[in-house]
Amino acid sequence: MEKTKRQRSDSFQARIRNTSARYPRLILKRLLVFFPLLFAASLVIFFSLRLSGVDPVNVMLGERQATEDVIFSLREQFHLNEPLIAQYWQWVKEVFSGSFGIDYINRQSVAVMIGQRAPITLGLVIMSTTIGTVIAVGLGVLSAVKQNTILDRVISVAVLIFVSAPSFLVAIGTLIFLTVFMPDVAFTGAINSVGDYFSRLIMPSFILALYMLAIVTRVTRSGMIIQLRSAYATAAIAKGLPMRVVIWKHCFRNAFIPVLTIVTIFIGAAISSAVLVESVFSLPGLGGLLTQAIKTNNYPIVQACLFILLLLFLSLGLIADLIYMAVDPRARIAGKKVLT
Amino acid sequence: MKLQKKIVLILAVALAVLSITACSGSGSGSETAETSDGAQESTEATEGEDTEEPVELVVAVNGEPRSLDPAFNYEYAAYHVVNHISEALLTFDQTGQLGPGLAESWEAVDATTYVYQIRQGVKFSDGSDLTVEDVIFSLERLRDPALASDVNWMFANVDTIEQTNDWEVTVKLTQPDATWQYVPATPGGQIVSKAYVEEKGESFGKNDGGTLGAGAYKLESWTPGSQIILTRNEYYWNQEDAGAIDKITVNIIPDSSAIQLALESGQADLTISSSKAVSDAFIDSSSINIISTPSIGNFVFSFNTQKAPFDDVNVRKAIAHAIDNVGIRESQYGVYALDTTVLPFGEAGYTPGTAESWIEFAGKLPDYAYNIDKAKEYLAKSGHPDGFTTSLYYKPNPIANSAAQAIAASLKQIGIELELKQLQLSEYYAYAYGGQITDGIRDYDLGLNDWLPDFPDPVGHLLPQYSSTTTGAGGSNFAAYSNPEVDKLIDAQNATTDPEERSKLLKEAFAIAAEDVPYKYLAYPNNTLLLNKKFEYELGTIWIFNFNYKDIKVVG
């Protein structure tokens, strides 16, 4: 009996030791699921957009008169006279060539338009999630440590207020505050330098960050409370470890995993809530491009944006899984079991 | 406890550091702005006293131009930029009269032959010469269906465009067309450099290719999605009339409240007001003037006259009488619009010289004013005395939405149930511009539309909205109205070049149409400009084509 138990524990240790070698194989297996998923999604995106029945020629012509010759020429140029399946194949080719096609309204390469606007949205998302995570984790740990004190309650209420205020309202409010009290702070115009970039993005990033505060703070708090109450934490405190070490080195590491999951979800949410904030702060980002394209049925842009967003979500999921494996040895074994 | 205090301290420091970086982030922005100002001042000081500070005008627009190519210069966002870079062969004055531009004179030899004398010695903004070849290339390019330019339809009746002398271009039409005289003053007559277009190829007009014209300004930079900067064209041919503004910064601000705040804080000097609420916000402003002038456009309720029950003139008259156009004008536009008659245009659309007679003429026509009793009377006479259920489509905008609600409430009084269909923009375009036609009949019952005529002439309303030739695909006859007598009169006025004769024929056509009521006009909205008091400008009736930055005066 004793021997088998020991053997089992040996093999457990060995498996953990060996996981670094299996890592590449795990990644490979994840990727094998990744690509078929992407292909299926591309089909759904392309054909569901066409369900609306809007004729792209009307999108191109807009509120203008046109002759039959022009209508015919546009149909030909954009392959609209071909069957849908051929149009889909055309799009797949364009995706692989990296151009993502020509948009209906500006008649410009979609990849170029997305490339011009990506830095703004990327900056907003990275800055807001970083700011949001740092503040929320700090507040969460603090309220867990100070559990059920006045400070804890103040934090809960404050955080609730932040999340309840719609971000566009906060954005307009901020803008009004700026025009009244700091008229020199520019909120319109072009971004010409790195300094401009940060000064224009910091406010909207803060506003976006508010949105994720409530949930991330809550998750951190509850996770930390469980960890702080656990036997190992009591043991660590009892043996005289400094509280700082108990909190950050032992408890927080274990409480961080669910926080990580939530944060990756919020990166996705930040992209969508960036839309309103971008528009209020006159930032030329992807959000504005996408909403405008949806409003005008500009399919080439909509499908490219959706495809890229999907790619991003799937990649984020993949990255999150890989981080779990790095942080939590159990996930490595579980991952292996699931995948083999 | 001590340890916990430490944690609190660490967190507090972390928060403080964060907020400091945030402040220094926005702070550094204003700092750089200050230093650049300082640098400017010092260079001015060293250059001496006779160099003045360049005059900059900051314009706020809510959308980005699709392109700077005149071929796609047929939308509000583009007029702010392209009209000032690429000048046209002719120009409109503030009242809509034609004047010389890159053509110093022109003549209609007969109803199908127009001759233009191109101005000599004009240079593009890079210093290269503007030749007759550039002129012909630009016009031919606009009428090439492969380019699918916005103004292609203007060239529908053009047969040939040829050089007939050293500096002379002759345009021959396949049939008489009274609208052609105006085309050279619109984006349809804007000239670009042939060499530049050929060099840039696909990227011409886009933000990576730019454009080259012979207007008063040239493109300095275009930051996609946020800013376009124009500076003086040093080679501009008309130096005496080059204006006071040295630099125009066009900022793209999608949010209307952000535009309002930008004007208030002085970050923008000029914008075209998007609504009554935005204009009203500046009534007591110390820094912004509201400049509002009548326009030639309209906001209109259209019957699909091809489709039952609206093929019955008594049903149309009943509905026209049931709609309170004055109430709609008041609540949606306030003072920024004029009340309507049965004609599609208000005082701005009346041709000068014959103005008095157009106003008198409008007075003689039935006005279909709001009157529920009359509405009931007409409905009783019609084939549908007990009312019916029908639908109204309109654009996704607040004015159309409120007007639609008001109309639905009015029509209920005479027993007509209205189903409201607020469409997406592209579906709206498909309905209004003949993209949805089944068996030759447009697929809708009633619509709310806007119409801004392409030409400052009654025919700019009559041809696209009352002619049977514009009911099909790509056409803008919202009422699908066709009456052989009106068609005949449209042809007749095209064939004559005598203004008095034309005006008589046009009136006959409108008199017939007034009896048929294909449209009920709801308002003639104004052009409304918000301009910083540092500047002065007289806004014309057709600002889309004759709004010129060079005409803006600097106060003081």
Side-chain angles (χ1 to χ4, degrees), chain A residues 58 63-67 70 73 77 106-108 116-117 185 188 190 199 243 247 282 297, chain B residues 3 7 25 64 72 74 145-146 152-153 206-207 227 253 267 395 424 426 430 454 474:
Chain A
N58 292 316
E63 208 161 12
R64 284 170 287 267
Q65 303 171 64
T67 57
V70 166
S73 142
Q77 282 174 35
N106 288 25
R107 310 214 189 139
Q108 197 172 7
Q116 284 164 346
R117 284 160 176 84
V185 178
T188 58
S199 71
M243 204 56 194
I247 291 172
S282 310
N297 293 80
Chain B
L3 288 169
I7 295 160
E64 187 174 28
F72 304 106
Y74 224 64
N152 178 283
W153 57 273
K206 307 289 190 294
N207 44 40
Q227 192 176 61
I253 308 177
Q267 286 187 40
K395 259 187 205 176
Q424 283 184 55
S426 35
D454 307 281

mmCIF file of all heavy atoms in Angstrom, chain A residues 58 63-67 70 73 77 106-108 116-117 185 188 190 199 243 247 282 297, chain B residues 3 7 25 64 72 74 145-146 152-153 206-207 227 253 267 395 424 426 430 454 474:
data_model
loop_
_atom_site.group_PDB
_atom_site.id
_atom_site.type_symbol
_atom_site.label_atom_id
_atom_site.label_comp_id
_atom_site.label_asym_id
_atom_site.label_seq_id
_atom_site.Cartn_x
_atom_site.Cartn_y
_atom_site.Cartn_z
ATOM 1 N N ASN A 58 -25.662 50.094 -53.108
ATOM 2 C CA ASN A 58 -26.309 51.221 -52.430
ATOM 3 C C ASN A 58 -25.405 51.827 -51.360
ATOM 4 O O ASN A 58 -25.462 53.023 -51.092
ATOM 5 C CB ASN A 58 -27.623 50.779 -51.795
ATOM 6 C CG ASN A 58 -28.647 50.430 -52.838
ATOM 7 O OD1 ASN A 58 -28.797 51.146 -53.819
ATOM 8 N ND2 ASN A 58 -29.307 49.309 -52.655
ATOM 9 N N GLU A 63 -25.980 58.711 -50.737
ATOM 10 C CA GLU A 63 -27.077 59.623 -51.035
ATOM 11 C C GLU A 63 -26.789 60.390 -52.327
ATOM 12 O O GLU A 63 -26.727 61.604 -52.316
ATOM 13 C CB GLU A 63 -27.237 60.600 -49.863
ATOM 14 C CG GLU A 63 -28.647 61.088 -49.723
ATOM 15 C CD GLU A 63 -28.904 61.646 -48.337
ATOM 16 O OE1 GLU A 63 -27.933 61.853 -47.591
ATOM 17 O OE2 GLU A 63 -30.073 61.870 -48.025
ATOM 18 N N ARG A 64 -26.546 59.650 -53.396
ATOM 19 C CA ARG A 64 -26.181 60.312 -54.644
ATOM 20 C C ARG A 64 -26.867 59.622 -55.813
ATOM 21 O O ARG A 64 -27.131 58.425 -55.767
ATOM 22 C CB ARG A 64 -24.658 60.256 -54.841
ATOM 23 C CG ARG A 64 -23.905 61.244 -53.966
ATOM 24 C CD ARG A 64 -22.434 60.978 -54.030
ATOM 25 N NE ARG A 64 -22.091 59.778 -53.293
ATOM 26 C CZ ARG A 64 -21.711 59.763 -52.011
ATOM 27 N NH1 ARG A 64 -21.597 60.874 -51.355
ATOM 28 N NH2 ARG A 64 -21.425 58.626 -51.410
ATOM 29 N N GLN A 65 -27.119 60.384 -56.853
ATOM 30 C CA GLN A 65 -27.692 59.788 -58.046
ATOM 31 C C GLN A 65 -26.610 58.997 -58.773
ATOM 32 O O GLN A 65 -25.425 59.230 -58.573
ATOM 33 C CB GLN A 65 -28.216 60.884 -58.978
ATOM 34 C CG GLN A 65 -29.242 61.786 -58.337
ATOM 35 C CD GLN A 65 -29.562 62.970 -59.223
ATOM 36 O OE1 GLN A 65 -30.075 62.832 -60.312
ATOM 37 N NE2 GLN A 65 -29.244 64.162 -58.757
ATOM 38 N N ALA A 66 -27.034 58.069 -59.632
ATOM 39 C CA ALA A 66 -26.057 57.307 -60.401
ATOM 40 C C ALA A 66 -26.681 56.820 -61.697
ATOM 41 O O ALA A 66 -27.891 56.694 -61.800
ATOM 42 C CB ALA A 66 -25.586 56.110 -59.594
ATOM 43 N N THR A 67 -25.827 56.559 -62.688
ATOM 44 C CA THR A 67 -26.313 56.018 -63.945
ATOM 45 C C THR A 67 -26.174 54.500 -63.920
ATOM 46 O O THR A 67 -25.446 53.945 -63.105
ATOM 47 C CB THR A 67 -25.494 56.569 -65.122
ATOM 48 O OG1 THR A 67 -24.125 56.257 -64.885
ATOM 49 C CG2 THR A 67 -25.629 58.064 -65.257
ATOM 50 N N VAL A 70 -22.576 53.224 -64.184
ATOM 51 C CA VAL A 70 -21.796 53.261 -62.943
ATOM 52 C C VAL A 70 -22.164 52.070 -62.073
ATOM 53 O O VAL A 70 -21.293 51.386 -61.526
ATOM 54 C CB VAL A 70 -22.029 54.589 -62.205
ATOM 55 C CG1 VAL A 70 -21.528 54.517 -60.778
ATOM 56 C CG2 VAL A 70 -21.352 55.726 -62.947
ATOM 57 N N SER A 73 -20.607 48.994 -63.481
ATOM 58 C CA SER A 73 -19.148 48.982 -63.317
ATOM 59 C C SER A 73 -18.755 48.659 -61.868
ATOM 60 O O SER A 73 -17.784 47.928 -61.616
ATOM 61 C CB SER A 73 -18.589 50.327 -63.786
ATOM 62 O OG SER A 73 -17.540 50.751 -62.978
ATOM 63 N N GLN A 77 -16.437 45.591 -60.533
ATOM 64 C CA GLN A 77 -15.190 45.836 -59.803
ATOM 65 C C GLN A 77 -15.150 45.130 -58.447
ATOM 66 O O GLN A 77 -14.116 44.676 -58.006
ATOM 67 C CB GLN A 77 -14.997 47.334 -59.573
ATOM 68 C CG GLN A 77 -14.509 48.085 -60.786
ATOM 69 C CD GLN A 77 -14.474 49.575 -60.534
ATOM 70 O OE1 GLN A 77 -14.179 50.025 -59.436
ATOM 71 N NE2 GLN A 77 -14.791 50.347 -61.544
ATOM 72 N N ASN A 106 -14.564 54.299 -48.751
ATOM 73 C CA ASN A 106 -13.349 55.047 -49.094
ATOM 74 C C ASN A 106 -12.627 54.465 -50.299
ATOM 75 O O ASN A 106 -11.732 55.089 -50.839
ATOM 76 C CB ASN A 106 -12.377 55.052 -47.918
ATOM 77 C CG ASN A 106 -12.847 55.940 -46.800
ATOM 78 O OD1 ASN A 106 -14.028 56.190 -46.666
ATOM 79 N ND2 ASN A 106 -11.929 56.422 -46.007
ATOM 80 N N ARG A 107 -12.989 53.249 -50.670
ATOM 81 C CA ARG A 107 -12.330 52.509 -51.753
ATOM 82 C C ARG A 107 -10.826 52.465 -51.538
ATOM 83 O O ARG A 107 -10.023 52.805 -52.389
ATOM 84 C CB ARG A 107 -12.667 53.111 -53.124
ATOM 85 C CG ARG A 107 -14.156 53.297 -53.258
ATOM 86 C CD ARG A 107 -14.707 53.107 -54.630
ATOM 87 N NE ARG A 107 -16.096 53.533 -54.605
ATOM 88 C CZ ARG A 107 -16.676 54.223 -55.551
ATOM 89 N NH1 ARG A 107 -16.028 54.515 -56.641
ATOM 90 N NH2 ARG A 107 -17.932 54.578 -55.425
ATOM 91 N N GLN A 108 -10.477 52.078 -50.309
ATOM 92 C CA GLN A 108 -9.073 51.999 -49.925
ATOM 93 C C GLN A 108 -8.848 50.609 -49.341
ATOM 94 O O GLN A 108 -9.791 49.946 -48.907
ATOM 95 C CB GLN A 108 -8.806 53.063 -48.852
ATOM 96 C CG GLN A 108 -7.341 53.361 -48.654
ATOM 97 C CD GLN A 108 -7.133 54.549 -47.734
ATOM 98 O OE1 GLN A 108 -8.077 55.075 -47.142
ATOM 99 N NE2 GLN A 108 -5.903 54.976 -47.605
ATOM 100 N N GLN A 116 -3.670 52.069 -39.844
ATOM 101 C CA GLN A 116 -3.556 53.470 -39.423
ATOM 102 C C GLN A 116 -4.221 53.704 -38.080
ATOM 103 O O GLN A 116 -3.846 54.613 -37.341
ATOM 104 C CB GLN A 116 -4.207 54.367 -40.479
ATOM 105 C CG GLN A 116 -3.357 54.540 -41.713
ATOM 106 C CD GLN A 116 -4.167 55.093 -42.886
ATOM 107 O OE1 GLN A 116 -5.393 55.099 -42.865
ATOM 108 N NE2 GLN A 116 -3.484 55.564 -43.909
ATOM 109 N N ARG A 117 -5.253 52.899 -37.766
ATOM 110 C CA ARG A 117 -6.028 53.173 -36.559
ATOM 111 C C ARG A 117 -5.707 52.254 -35.384
ATOM 112 O O ARG A 117 -6.096 52.535 -34.257
ATOM 113 C CB ARG A 117 -7.518 53.090 -36.890
ATOM 114 C CG ARG A 117 -7.987 54.317 -37.643
ATOM 115 C CD ARG A 117 -9.269 54.041 -38.388
ATOM 116 N NE ARG A 117 -9.773 55.242 -39.030
ATOM 117 C CZ ARG A 117 -9.379 55.672 -40.212
ATOM 118 N NH1 ARG A 117 -8.471 55.001 -40.885
ATOM 119 N NH2 ARG A 117 -9.871 56.781 -40.730
ATOM 120 N N VAL A 185 -5.453 72.019 -22.342
ATOM 121 C CA VAL A 185 -5.296 70.596 -22.653
ATOM 122 C C VAL A 185 -6.088 70.259 -23.914
ATOM 123 O O VAL A 185 -7.301 70.386 -23.944
ATOM 124 C CB VAL A 185 -5.777 69.719 -21.476
ATOM 125 C CG1 VAL A 185 -5.647 68.252 -21.822
ATOM 126 C CG2 VAL A 185 -4.967 70.051 -20.237
ATOM 127 N N THR A 188 -8.625 67.562 -29.185
ATOM 128 C CA THR A 188 -8.925 67.363 -30.607
ATOM 129 C C THR A 188 -7.625 67.501 -31.383
ATOM 130 O O THR A 188 -6.595 67.880 -30.821
ATOM 131 C CB THR A 188 -9.900 68.438 -31.116
ATOM 132 O OG1 THR A 188 -9.303 69.717 -30.886
ATOM 133 C CG2 THR A 188 -11.219 68.380 -30.413
ATOM 134 N N ALA A 190 -4.562 66.296 -34.386
ATOM 135 C CA ALA A 190 -3.741 65.136 -34.728
ATOM 136 C C ALA A 190 -2.763 64.817 -33.612
ATOM 137 O O ALA A 190 -2.428 65.666 -32.797
ATOM 138 C CB ALA A 190 -2.979 65.413 -36.005
ATOM 139 N N SER A 199 -0.438 61.955 -23.732
ATOM 140 C CA SER A 199 -1.291 62.954 -23.090
ATOM 141 C C SER A 199 -2.730 62.826 -23.584
ATOM 142 O O SER A 199 -3.668 63.082 -22.848
ATOM 143 C CB SER A 199 -0.755 64.356 -23.308
ATOM 144 O OG SER A 199 -0.919 64.741 -24.635
ATOM 145 N N MET A 243 4.201 39.755 7.257
ATOM 146 C CA MET A 243 2.872 39.787 6.620
ATOM 147 C C MET A 243 2.978 40.057 5.113
ATOM 148 O O MET A 243 2.237 39.512 4.308
ATOM 149 C CB MET A 243 2.042 40.874 7.311
ATOM 150 C CG MET A 243 0.556 40.674 7.199
ATOM 151 S SD MET A 243 0.037 39.065 7.818
ATOM 152 C CE MET A 243 -1.602 39.004 7.157
ATOM 153 N N ILE A 247 1.243 37.751 2.326
ATOM 154 C CA ILE A 247 0.230 38.262 1.391
ATOM 155 C C ILE A 247 0.676 38.114 -0.060
ATOM 156 O O ILE A 247 0.003 37.499 -0.874
ATOM 157 C CB ILE A 247 -0.104 39.740 1.707
ATOM 158 C CG1 ILE A 247 -0.843 39.810 3.043
ATOM 159 C CG2 ILE A 247 -0.943 40.353 0.594
ATOM 160 C CD1 ILE A 247 -1.039 41.224 3.542
ATOM 161 N N SER A 282 -12.300 62.219 -29.707
ATOM 162 C CA SER A 282 -11.815 62.397 -31.085
ATOM 163 C C SER A 282 -10.541 61.609 -31.353
ATOM 164 O O SER A 282 -9.601 62.129 -31.940
ATOM 165 C CB SER A 282 -11.574 63.868 -31.403
ATOM 166 O OG SER A 282 -12.673 64.627 -31.053
ATOM 167 N N ASN A 297 -23.091 49.655 -43.305
ATOM 168 C CA ASN A 297 -23.014 48.358 -43.980
ATOM 169 C C ASN A 297 -21.762 48.226 -44.855
ATOM 170 O O ASN A 297 -21.805 47.686 -45.948
ATOM 171 C CB ASN A 297 -24.252 48.113 -44.862
ATOM 172 C CG ASN A 297 -25.495 47.965 -44.042
ATOM 173 O OD1 ASN A 297 -26.070 48.957 -43.616
ATOM 174 N ND2 ASN A 297 -25.876 46.739 -43.762
ATOM 175 N N LEU B 3 2.340 45.638 10.185
ATOM 176 C CA LEU B 3 2.562 45.176 8.817
ATOM 177 C C LEU B 3 1.448 45.659 7.884
ATOM 178 O O LEU B 3 1.683 46.076 6.763
ATOM 179 C CB LEU B 3 2.621 43.647 8.797
ATOM 180 C CG LEU B 3 3.890 43.074 9.400
ATOM 181 C CD1 LEU B 3 3.727 41.582 9.585
ATOM 182 C CD2 LEU B 3 5.090 43.402 8.533
ATOM 183 N N ILE B 7 1.384 47.839 4.325
ATOM 184 C CA ILE B 7 0.736 47.520 3.050
ATOM 185 C C ILE B 7 -0.081 48.705 2.568
ATOM 186 O O ILE B 7 -0.013 49.100 1.404
ATOM 187 C CB ILE B 7 -0.185 46.295 3.211
ATOM 188 C CG1 ILE B 7 0.674 45.081 3.540
ATOM 189 C CG2 ILE B 7 -0.983 46.040 1.948
ATOM 190 C CD1 ILE B 7 -0.095 43.963 4.183
ATOM 191 N N GLY B 25 1.249 63.191 -17.498
ATOM 192 C CA GLY B 25 0.888 62.865 -18.882
ATOM 193 C C GLY B 25 0.164 64.015 -19.526
ATOM 194 O O GLY B 25 0.606 64.531 -20.548
ATOM 195 N N GLU B 64 -14.809 62.264 -41.721
ATOM 196 C CA GLU B 64 -13.609 62.407 -42.535
ATOM 197 C C GLU B 64 -13.976 62.276 -44.011
ATOM 198 O O GLU B 64 -14.822 61.454 -44.361
ATOM 199 C CB GLU B 64 -12.623 61.298 -42.145
ATOM 200 C CG GLU B 64 -11.280 61.429 -42.804
ATOM 201 C CD GLU B 64 -10.282 60.395 -42.276
ATOM 202 O OE1 GLU B 64 -10.727 59.312 -41.857
ATOM 203 O OE2 GLU B 64 -9.086 60.678 -42.302
ATOM 204 N N PHE B 72 -14.812 62.122 -55.824
ATOM 205 C CA PHE B 72 -15.592 61.675 -54.663
ATOM 206 C C PHE B 72 -15.890 62.833 -53.722
ATOM 207 O O PHE B 72 -16.144 62.659 -52.537
ATOM 208 C CB PHE B 72 -14.873 60.528 -53.948
ATOM 209 C CG PHE B 72 -14.597 59.389 -54.886
ATOM 210 C CD1 PHE B 72 -13.313 59.145 -55.353
ATOM 211 C CD2 PHE B 72 -15.644 58.621 -55.352
ATOM 212 C CE1 PHE B 72 -13.085 58.121 -56.266
ATOM 213 C CE2 PHE B 72 -15.427 57.602 -56.263
ATOM 214 C CZ PHE B 72 -14.138 57.358 -56.723
ATOM 215 N N TYR B 74 -18.414 64.660 -53.126
ATOM 216 C CA TYR B 74 -19.839 64.946 -53.161
ATOM 217 C C TYR B 74 -20.460 64.571 -51.835
ATOM 218 O O TYR B 74 -21.414 63.807 -51.751
ATOM 219 C CB TYR B 74 -20.495 64.227 -54.350
ATOM 220 C CG TYR B 74 -21.461 65.129 -55.072
ATOM 221 C CD1 TYR B 74 -21.006 66.278 -55.705
ATOM 222 C CD2 TYR B 74 -22.822 64.868 -55.092
ATOM 223 C CE1 TYR B 74 -21.882 67.140 -56.341
ATOM 224 C CE2 TYR B 74 -23.710 65.727 -55.726
ATOM 225 C CZ TYR B 74 -23.225 66.856 -56.349
ATOM 226 O OH TYR B 74 -24.105 67.726 -56.976
ATOM 227 N N PRO B 145 -17.194 55.632 -66.489
ATOM 228 C CA PRO B 145 -17.958 54.782 -65.550
ATOM 229 C C PRO B 145 -17.051 53.864 -64.723
ATOM 230 O O PRO B 145 -17.416 53.478 -63.606
ATOM 231 C CB PRO B 145 -18.868 53.946 -66.454
ATOM 232 C CG PRO B 145 -18.807 54.573 -67.785
ATOM 233 C CD PRO B 145 -17.572 55.383 -67.881
ATOM 234 N N ALA B 146 -15.880 53.514 -65.248
ATOM 235 C CA ALA B 146 -14.979 52.610 -64.518
ATOM 236 C C ALA B 146 -14.522 53.235 -63.203
ATOM 237 O O ALA B 146 -14.317 52.550 -62.207
ATOM 238 C CB ALA B 146 -13.780 52.263 -65.384
ATOM 239 N N ASN B 152 -20.563 61.316 -61.935
ATOM 240 C CA ASN B 152 -20.671 60.693 -63.254
ATOM 241 C C ASN B 152 -22.000 61.026 -63.945
ATOM 242 O O ASN B 152 -22.029 61.333 -65.134
ATOM 243 C CB ASN B 152 -20.508 59.174 -63.098
ATOM 244 C CG ASN B 152 -20.643 58.445 -64.401
ATOM 245 O OD1 ASN B 152 -21.738 58.253 -64.903
ATOM 246 N ND2 ASN B 152 -19.525 58.058 -64.981
ATOM 247 N N TRP B 153 -23.089 60.984 -63.178
ATOM 248 C CA TRP B 153 -24.414 61.218 -63.758
ATOM 249 C C TRP B 153 -24.567 62.610 -64.372
ATOM 250 O O TRP B 153 -25.394 62.829 -65.246
ATOM 251 C CB TRP B 153 -25.491 60.995 -62.702
ATOM 252 C CG TRP B 153 -25.302 61.859 -61.484
ATOM 253 C CD1 TRP B 153 -24.548 61.569 -60.397
ATOM 254 C CD2 TRP B 153 -25.836 63.160 -61.269
ATOM 255 N NE1 TRP B 153 -24.579 62.608 -59.501
ATOM 256 C CE2 TRP B 153 -25.360 63.593 -60.012
ATOM 257 C CE3 TRP B 153 -26.673 63.995 -62.011
ATOM 258 C CZ2 TRP B 153 -25.690 64.845 -59.486
ATOM 259 C CZ3 TRP B 153 -27.001 65.240 -61.482
ATOM 260 C CH2 TRP B 153 -26.515 65.651 -60.231
ATOM 261 N N LYS B 206 -6.173 59.471 -51.857
ATOM 262 C CA LYS B 206 -6.198 58.787 -50.564
ATOM 263 C C LYS B 206 -5.167 59.428 -49.633
ATOM 264 O O LYS B 206 -4.325 60.219 -50.084
ATOM 265 C CB LYS B 206 -5.864 57.297 -50.736
ATOM 266 C CG LYS B 206 -6.719 56.593 -51.755
ATOM 267 C CD LYS B 206 -8.143 56.425 -51.239
ATOM 268 C CE LYS B 206 -8.970 55.513 -52.111
ATOM 269 N NZ LYS B 206 -9.230 56.026 -53.454
ATOM 270 N N ASN B 207 -5.197 59.008 -48.349
ATOM 271 C CA ASN B 207 -4.276 59.686 -47.426
ATOM 272 C C ASN B 207 -2.810 59.323 -47.653
ATOM 273 O O ASN B 207 -1.915 60.014 -47.172
ATOM 274 C CB ASN B 207 -4.694 59.493 -45.973
ATOM 275 C CG ASN B 207 -5.084 58.071 -45.689
ATOM 276 O OD1 ASN B 207 -4.436 57.147 -46.189
ATOM 277 N ND2 ASN B 207 -6.135 57.878 -44.925
ATOM 278 N N GLN B 227 -6.984 64.605 -38.659
ATOM 279 C CA GLN B 227 -6.669 65.997 -39.018
ATOM 280 C C GLN B 227 -6.206 66.145 -40.469
ATOM 281 O O GLN B 227 -5.452 65.316 -40.980
ATOM 282 C CB GLN B 227 -5.567 66.491 -38.094
ATOM 283 C CG GLN B 227 -5.316 67.986 -38.141
ATOM 284 C CD GLN B 227 -4.275 68.385 -37.116
ATOM 285 O OE1 GLN B 227 -3.141 67.929 -37.188
ATOM 286 N NE2 GLN B 227 -4.660 69.200 -36.153
ATOM 287 N N ILE B 253 -13.902 65.543 -35.568
ATOM 288 C CA ILE B 253 -14.430 65.335 -34.210
ATOM 289 C C ILE B 253 -15.787 64.672 -34.364
ATOM 290 O O ILE B 253 -16.778 65.338 -34.641
ATOM 291 C CB ILE B 253 -14.554 66.679 -33.469
ATOM 292 C CG1 ILE B 253 -13.224 67.441 -33.533
ATOM 293 C CG2 ILE B 253 -14.997 66.471 -32.026
ATOM 294 C CD1 ILE B 253 -13.247 68.811 -32.895
ATOM 295 N N GLN B 267 -10.698 75.672 -29.153
ATOM 296 C CA GLN B 267 -9.906 74.699 -29.909
ATOM 297 C C GLN B 267 -10.380 74.578 -31.345
ATOM 298 O O GLN B 267 -9.732 73.965 -32.174
ATOM 299 C CB GLN B 267 -9.958 73.321 -29.238
ATOM 300 C CG GLN B 267 -9.131 73.256 -27.978
ATOM 301 C CD GLN B 267 -9.053 71.843 -27.432
ATOM 302 O OE1 GLN B 267 -8.934 70.897 -28.171
ATOM 303 N NE2 GLN B 267 -9.101 71.719 -26.121
ATOM 304 N N LYS B 395 -34.767 58.099 -42.424
ATOM 305 C CA LYS B 395 -33.365 57.953 -42.022
ATOM 306 C C LYS B 395 -33.213 57.808 -40.508
ATOM 307 O O LYS B 395 -34.030 58.343 -39.764
ATOM 308 C CB LYS B 395 -32.651 59.273 -42.351
ATOM 309 C CG LYS B 395 -31.855 59.264 -43.585
ATOM 310 C CD LYS B 395 -31.100 60.589 -43.631
ATOM 311 C CE LYS B 395 -30.788 60.927 -45.049
ATOM 312 N NZ LYS B 395 -30.153 62.218 -45.199
ATOM 313 N N GLN B 424 -31.809 51.572 -41.607
ATOM 314 C CA GLN B 424 -30.363 51.818 -41.598
ATOM 315 C C GLN B 424 -30.054 52.708 -42.795
ATOM 316 O O GLN B 424 -30.758 52.678 -43.793
ATOM 317 C CB GLN B 424 -29.617 50.518 -41.803
ATOM 318 C CG GLN B 424 -29.552 49.627 -40.610
ATOM 319 C CD GLN B 424 -28.691 48.425 -40.955
ATOM 320 O OE1 GLN B 424 -27.553 48.551 -41.379
ATOM 321 N NE2 GLN B 424 -29.245 47.262 -40.805
ATOM 322 N N SER B 426 -27.957 52.556 -45.313
ATOM 323 C CA SER B 426 -27.848 51.989 -46.661
ATOM 324 C C SER B 426 -29.195 51.466 -47.164
ATOM 325 O O SER B 426 -29.460 51.511 -48.359
ATOM 326 C CB SER B 426 -26.776 50.914 -46.726
ATOM 327 O OG SER B 426 -26.740 50.196 -45.540
ATOM 328 N N ALA B 430 -31.135 52.748 -50.509
ATOM 329 C CA ALA B 430 -31.688 51.807 -51.481
ATOM 330 C C ALA B 430 -33.134 52.186 -51.814
ATOM 331 O O ALA B 430 -33.530 52.186 -52.975
ATOM 332 C CB ALA B 430 -31.615 50.390 -50.939
ATOM 333 N N ASP B 454 -28.546 69.841 -56.789
ATOM 334 C CA ASP B 454 -27.153 69.899 -57.214
ATOM 335 C C ASP B 454 -26.832 71.230 -57.873
ATOM 336 O O ASP B 454 -25.680 71.612 -57.972
ATOM 337 C CB ASP B 454 -26.895 68.752 -58.183
ATOM 338 C CG ASP B 454 -27.326 67.434 -57.576
ATOM 339 O OD1 ASP B 454 -26.565 66.906 -56.768
ATOM 340 O OD2 ASP B 454 -28.445 66.963 -57.867
ATOM 341 N N GLY B 474 -30.907 54.183 -59.339
ATOM 342 C CA GLY B 474 -29.973 55.292 -59.242
ATOM 343 C C GLY B 474 -30.644 56.650 -59.315
ATOM 344 O O GLY B 474 -30.007 57.675 -59.149
#
